[in-house]
């Protein structure tokens, strides 16, 4: 049997999932170096800290779900954060089989130090866009997120 023609090869640089991933990696990479150099925290650690600042007493599973970071990466990052006493892990009084996570006082202090740097990076990226483009970008991201959620396996 003859092999199918390869004239329909996907052009990776035009493939939306690749482009979005590349953009995310480029943006995160620039920020991650600063977080690591200035604050000694990795990007997964920062994302976990952001979740715990907004949603204290979250379980590790909830952190995985909100960040879309795989369980093993979250587990290692939480181990480093607890070792540095930035995150505290306690048994959930309502369900003794479950642990809940919370930023410690030191964790909140580090979060407060990193937050302006994170916001500054966001502002630098958004400075390339007009107010109308930012509004439209946010609308488009929401629309694509809704489609993505609908494509998830049950």
């Amino acid at each position: 049997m003859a092999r199918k023609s390869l004239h329909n090869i996907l052009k990776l640089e035009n493939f939306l999932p690749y482009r979005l991933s590349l953009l995310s990696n480029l943006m995160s990479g620039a920020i991650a170096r600063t977080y690591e150099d200035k604050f000694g925290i990795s990007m997964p650690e920062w994302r976990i800290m952001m979740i715990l600042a907004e949603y204290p007493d979250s379980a590790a599973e909830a952190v995985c779900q909100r960040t879309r970071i795989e369980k093993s990466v979250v587990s290692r990052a939480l181990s480093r954060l607890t070792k540095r006493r930035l995150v505290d892990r306690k048994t959930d009084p309502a369900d003794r089989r479950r642990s809940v996570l919370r930023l410690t006082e030191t964790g909140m202090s580090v979060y407060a130090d990193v937050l302006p740097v994170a916001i500054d990076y966001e502002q630098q990226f958004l400075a390339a866009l007009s107010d109308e483009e930012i509004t439209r970008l946010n609308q488009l991201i929401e629309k694509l997120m809704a489609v993505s959620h609908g494509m998830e396996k049950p």
Side-chain angles (χ1 to χ4, degrees), residues 4-72:
K4 279 192 169 182
S5 171
L6 295 179
H7 73 280
N8 289 332
I9 292 176
L10 176 73
K11 289 204 172 283
L12 196 54
E13 56 275 354
N14 295 332
F15 186 54
L16 181 62
Y18 172 77
R19 293 175 69 205
L20 292 174
S21 178
L22 187 61
L23 176 60
S24 174
N25 290 342
L26 288 168
M27 293 174 80
S28 293
I31 298 168
R33 283 186 294 281
T34 299
Y35 293 165
E36 187 69 47
D37 293 346
K38 278 187 155 185
F39 306 103
I41 59 173
S42 67
M43 184 57 71
E45 290 168 348
W46 171 242
R47 288 182 178 155
I48 290 167
M49 291 179 72
M50 287 192 305
I51 293 296
L52 296 179
E54 189 172 355
Y55 304 99
D57 296 327
S58 291
E61 299 82 30
V63 171
C64 291
Q65 188 175 16
R66 288 187 187 281
T67 60
R68 298 293 196 239
I69 299 172
E70 70 178 61
K71 188 176 181 179
S72 62

Side-chain angles (χ1 to χ4, degrees), residues 43 74 83 87-88 90 98 102 105:
M43 184 57 71
V74 168
K83 185 180 268 186
V87 170
D88 188 31
K90 296 257 192 251
R98 184 174 175 262
R102 171 180 286 269
E105 198 171 309

